[in-house]
């Protein structure tokens, strides 16, 4: 597990009355879109770690978190394909985040998917992305 | 890969200074999402941050869900950590935070004057409590 150079919280807003099997795209994040940016670690954030997101919306409940899988895309390649949301939560991994081979995600083509009907209210699904820029010392080793 | 592991191991083992920030957060007049700067006394010149952890439960023991976020920046105002949940840091109480070792960082030259924390939870912001942020410093070399 590499030391963290930069991290950013990314939140997907799930509208009220979202249907089962709905796929929702990640928001555009300019920090991760900058040329040469490499993501090398991902965490999912559960309600026990953060109860309310930055937009004052509730964080996904524990029950709904069980029914989310997510996919991260780089260009036309699915780098992480339909992986359970909570499998990337560090509460269950003794604080160790999931390190991945460095890649630059295309967040607008990356999605979360609900495998069961989520709550009828509006809430957010948060992730932490660990990344580096070409100016960062760790970059060349990624 | 080898380099990353090396840095992490070195960072944990050779931290020359560990500082616990005790931060009183919130108050009757603090609205949700109001950024609060870290105290300038926390500045340590060119010393680098190589680890962070926290201590939960919050004190005094309050029945508030975790809803504290922090942003750490360099001297130029560029983010190292953007809106990181306090709950994503390892805690001595694994039922309230995350278990494990301090989260390791890559010798970050954090400018505490440019960094801040806040809560998006209106109820939290109106009920003062103290939280703890433990910072592990390297020597900057």
């Amino acid at each position: 597990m590499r030391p963290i150079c930069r991290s950013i919280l990314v939140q997907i807003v799930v509208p009220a009355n979202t249907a089962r099997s709905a796929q929702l795209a990640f928001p555009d994040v300019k920090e991760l879109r900058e040329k040469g940016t490499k993501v090398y670690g991902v965490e999912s954030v559960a309600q026990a770690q953060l109860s309310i997101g930055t937009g004052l919306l509730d964080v996904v409940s524990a029950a709904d978190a069980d029914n989310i899988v997510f996919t991260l895309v780089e260009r036309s390649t699915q780098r992480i394909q339909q992986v359970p949301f909570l499998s990337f939560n560090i509460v269950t991994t003794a604080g160790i985040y999931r390190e991945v081979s460095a890649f630059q995600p295309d967040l607008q083509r990356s999605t979360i998917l609900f495998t069961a009907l989520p709550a009828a209210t509006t809430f957010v699904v948060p992730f932490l992305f660990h990344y580096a820029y070409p100016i960062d010392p760790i970059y060349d080793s990624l | 890969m080898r380099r990353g592991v090396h840095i992490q191991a070195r960072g944990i083992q050779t931290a020359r200074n560990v500082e616990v920030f005790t931060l009183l957060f919130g108050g009757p007049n603090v609205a949700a999402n109001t950024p609060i700067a870290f105290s300038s006394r926390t500045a340590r010149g060119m010393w680098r941050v190589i680890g962070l952890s926290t201590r939960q439960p919050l004190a005094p023991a309050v029945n508030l869900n975790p809803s504290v976020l922090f942003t750490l920046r360099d001297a130029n105002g560029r983010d190292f950590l953007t809106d990181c949940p306090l709950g994503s840091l390892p805690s001595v109480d694994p039922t309230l935070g995350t278990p494990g070792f301090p989260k390791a960082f890559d010798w970050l030259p954090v400018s505490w004057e440019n960094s801040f924390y806040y809560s998006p939870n209106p109820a939290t912001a109106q009920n003062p409590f103290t939280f703890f942020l433990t910072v592990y410093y390297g020597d900057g070399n």
Side-chain angles (χ1 to χ4, degrees), chain B residues 92-105:
Chain B
V92 295
D93 185 341
T95 65
L96 291 167
T98 61
F101 293 103
K103 211 167 195 177
F105 293 91

Side-chain angles (χ1 to χ4, degrees), chain B residues 95-115:
Chain B
T95 65
L96 291 167
T98 61
F101 293 103
K103 211 167 195 177
F105 293 91
D106 193 21
W107 296 77
L108 306 182
V110 171
S111 166
W112 293 102
E113 292 88 343
N114 288 343
S115 303

Side-chain angles (χ1 to χ4, degrees), chain A residues 66-123:
Chain A
D66 278 340
N67 302 320
I68 298 172
V69 296
F70 68 99
T71 297
L72 296 179
V73 173
E74 180 185 42
R75 298 188 192 90
S76 60
T77 305
Q78 292 181 326
R79 295 295 300 269
I80 294 173
Q81 185 176 16
Q82 297 201 339
V83 173
F85 175 74
L86 288 179
S87 69
F88 274 57
N89 187 271
I90 64 173
V91 172
T92 56
T93 58
I96 298 172
Y97 72 82
R98 300 282 188 190
E99 186 175 343
V100 296
S101 295
F103 71 108
Q104 183 163 27
D106 181 348
L107 287 187
Q108 291 179 298
R109 296 172 64 191
S110 301
T111 56
I112 62 169
L113 168 70
F114 286 93
T115 58
L117 187 65
T121 56
T122 302
F123 58 88

Side-chain angles (χ1 to χ4, degrees), chain B residues 36-121:
Chain B
I36 300 174
F38 287 95
S39 166
S40 60
R41 75 171 179 79
T42 59
R44 284 292 181 274
M46 287 305 294
W47 285 27
R48 307 294 182 98
V49 173
I50 57 176
L52 292 174
S53 64
T54 185
R55 192 190 103 189
Q56 295 197 43
L58 305 170
V62 288
N63 187 23
L64 291 169
N65 285 325
S67 53
V68 177
L69 298 146
F70 61 94
T71 291
L72 300 186
R73 291 179 167 160
D74 66 15
N76 297 318
R78 190 155 198 176
D79 287 4
F80 288 123
L81 311 180
T82 308
D83 301 327
C84 277
L86 189 69
S88 71
L89 296 179
S91 166
V92 295
D93 185 341
T95 65
L96 291 167
T98 61
F101 293 103
K103 211 167 195 177
F105 293 91
D106 193 21
W107 296 77
L108 306 182
V110 171
S111 166
W112 293 102
E113 292 88 343
N114 288 343
S115 303
F116 58 89
Y117 58 97
Y118 67 97
S119 174
N121 184 343

Side-chain angles (χ1 to χ4, degrees), chain A residues 1-11 31 34 40 43 45-56 89-97 99 126 128 130-131 133 135-142, chain B residues 1-5 7-8 32-33 56 65-69 74 78-90 94-108 118-122 124:
Chain A
M1 188 175 68
R2 295 169 199 270
I4 294 166
C5 181
R6 299 178 191 274
S7 286
I8 189 166
L9 185 72
V10 176
Q11 303 165 99
E31 286 84 350
E34 288 193 26
Y40 61 97
E43 290 180 35
V45 178
Q47 196 177 48
Q49 299 169 282
L50 179 68
S51 58
I52 298 180
T54 58
L56 303 184
N89 187 271
I90 64 173
V91 172
T92 56
T93 58
I96 298 172
Y97 72 82
E99 186 175 343
L128 268 178
H130 305 313
Y131 65 102
Y133 292 137
I135 60 171
D136 295 323
I138 199 174
Y139 188 86
D140 290 339
S141 69
L142 295 175
Chain B
M1 180 65 187
R2 191 181 311 146
R3 183 183 175 202
V5 170
I7 289 171
Q8 182 190 7
N33 283 339
Q56 295 197 43
N65 285 325
S67 53
V68 177
L69 298 146
D74 66 15
R78 190 155 198 176
D79 287 4
F80 288 123
L81 311 180
T82 308
D83 301 327
C84 277
L86 189 69
S88 71
L89 296 179
T95 65
L96 291 167
T98 61
F101 293 103
K103 211 167 195 177
F105 293 91
D106 193 21
W107 296 77
L108 306 182
Y118 67 97
S119 174
N121 184 343
T124 302

